[in-house]
Amino acid sequence: MNAVVHIDALGPMRALNSGANGVIHRLDEFRLPDEPGELVFKQYRKGATPVPVHGLATLVAVRRRLVKQRKAALDELAAWPLRAVIGPDNEASGVLMRLIPGHYFEEMSLPSGARARVPREIQHLIADPGQGRLGEVDVPADGDADSRLRICERFAFALSLLHGARIVFGDVSARNVLYRLRPRPSVYLVDCDAARLTSTSAVNRQMHSPDWDPPEKGEQTLRTDRYKLGLFVLRCLTPGKGSSLNRDLTAAAPMLDGRGTDLLRRSLEGAPGDRPLAREWLFHLRARLGDRPMPPMPAEPGVPVTTPHETGWRRGPDGWIPA
């Protein structure tokens, strides 16, 4: 199945939003026969650093290779590229993605006094809840630890899925993760066209967002993702003024037990190779929330069945069990 679509085939579209990397257009008529639902076209800005078409096609292929259960989980948690879009000279013009679900949007009051329907970014969860409520942002009630722990659990699950496929998400930041509280707390990853396979170069340049950078320099890796997961947990559990800069793990101690505090310490103060895997955070947070054990997750094609997976499952004598 072709991983590429020509821009001329997309038909009428309407601009929804714009950012540093491009403009998001909602497609009025174009649909993919194998991918139900409304689509958006992220069109890269002219004059930006050229993006290799084959790199985008690789990201499309990564999702296609996932077994059905993992693909469904990824689609629930991320705006993953479904097709690469090429222009008149066969250059990369952008990517097609699903329309972000409505639960991740908020009609809020902007500082200018105007009202707008905008994505509900994690920055609102990290900031002072009182300020969020003034802007009519949906934030957890004071003392609602479970909603915040659930958001962290969902983010750990999303990274666990990606890492299990050897994908580095890269630019974890307060703007690249959306959240919802209703009907059930969850997260949604955006700007996924900047992710990369561990064995390849990034399609779009992977940046460290300010105040989310790890101690080590160089390219983004699974290990830097794990550092940022620790920052995500810390900041999500300790909202307030200055929390977007917080790296003081002691601030989260009242929200975590001894095991959770140890995971946070290893994430933020340990050597890069000792940082907890996303699945360690996942299992801990699920236990903390009183969840039942996760259902078996099928193996990825080509992965030895005796190998524990980043998602936390391995082949046992009676099927897939927690690793």
Side-chain angles (χ1 to χ4, degrees):
M1 193 174 295
N2 199 341
V4 176
V5 173
H6 198 281
I7 192 170
D8 290 344
L10 301 182
M13 61 185 75
R14 294 167 286 157
L16 290 180
N17 199 0
S18 63
N21 296 326
V23 179
I24 304 295
H25 302 272
R26 185 172 187 167
L27 302 184
D28 292 339
E29 300 174 2
F30 184 84
R31 298 291 183 271
L32 293 171
D34 57 327
E35 304 291 352
E38 292 189 75
L39 301 171
V40 297
F41 167 39
K42 179 178 180 179
Q43 184 173 29
Y44 298 140
R45 295 188 182 281
K46 292 182 179 180
T49 303
V51 176
V53 175
H54 68 84
L56 293 175
T58 297
L59 289 180
V60 172
V62 166
R63 174 184 166 276
R64 286 182 178 170
R65 287 197 298 266
L66 295 176
V67 294
K68 183 178 180 180
Q69 187 174 347
R70 290 177 185 242
K71 185 188 296 184
L74 180 62
D75 289 346
E76 184 179 330
L77 295 168
W80 198 260
L82 303 177
R83 296 288 192 278
V85 179
I86 58 173
D89 298 320
N90 292 324
E91 78 284 4
S93 291
V95 292
L96 294 185
M97 305 172 293
R98 282 193 176 85
L99 184 68
I100 296 173
H103 289 140
Y104 292 99
F105 283 82
E106 185 85 71
E107 185 173 337
M108 62 181 71
S109 299
L110 303 179
S112 64
R115 294 183 62 80
R117 187 172 183 267
V118 296
R120 190 185 303 106
E121 299 166 344
I122 283 293
Q123 62 175 322
H124 299 298
L125 194 68
I126 293 172
D128 178 6
Q131 288 298 116
R133 293 184 189 109
L134 286 176
E136 300 179 68
V137 182
D138 196 13
V139 295
D142 293 341
D144 180 6
D146 280 4
S147 290
R148 293 182 177 276
L149 288 168
R150 179 64 65 190
I151 293 289
C152 294
E153 183 267 340
R154 290 288 82 193
F155 183 61
F157 181 44
L159 283 190
S160 181
L161 282 170
L162 295 181
H163 290 184
R166 311 310 296 170
I167 296 169
V168 179
F169 182 63
D171 188 19
V172 176
S173 77
R175 303 200 66 179
N176 286 352
V177 184
L178 312 182
Y179 79 94
R180 74 180 191 203
L181 296 180
R182 285 160 251 281
R184 176 180 170 88
S186 194
V187 299
Y188 199 75
L189 310 184
V190 296
D191 287 345
C192 297
D193 53 325
R196 72 173 180 89
L197 285 171
T198 55
S199 58
T200 66
S201 299
V203 178
N204 286 290
R205 185 182 177 190
Q206 288 189 310
M207 305 290 290
H208 293 297
S209 287
D211 306 314
W212 289 82
D213 51 308
E216 67 266 31
K217 306 301 179 184
E219 70 173 7
Q220 305 206 41
T221 65
L222 299 177
R223 292 176 176 181
T224 61
D225 272 4
R226 293 169 192 150
Y227 179 85
K228 295 174 186 181
L229 171 55
L231 280 184
F232 184 98
V233 172
L234 170 62
R235 293 171 179 180
C236 201
L237 297 183
T238 59
K241 185 177 181 180
S243 185
S244 61
L245 308 176
N246 187 17
R247 297 185 193 233
D248 178 11
L249 60 88
T250 61
M255 301 278 286
L256 295 168
D257 58 14
R259 170 64 173 159
T261 301
D262 178 65
L263 289 173
L264 195 57
R265 181 175 294 107
R266 287 169 52 204
S267 297
L268 302 182
E269 296 183 351
D274 292 334
R275 290 170 187 157
L277 304 179
R279 68 179 175 89
E280 292 183 69
W281 272 113
L282 175 62
F283 289 161
H284 171 72
L285 290 166
R286 287 182 64 86
R288 182 85 169 145
L289 287 160
D291 292 349
R292 295 178 179 179
M294 295 175 67
M297 180 72 77
E300 284 304 313
V303 177
V305 297
T306 56
T307 303
H309 300 287
E310 180 73 14
T311 49
W313 299 96
R314 62 180 176 82
R315 177 77 75 182
D318 300 312
W320 285 87
I321 59 176

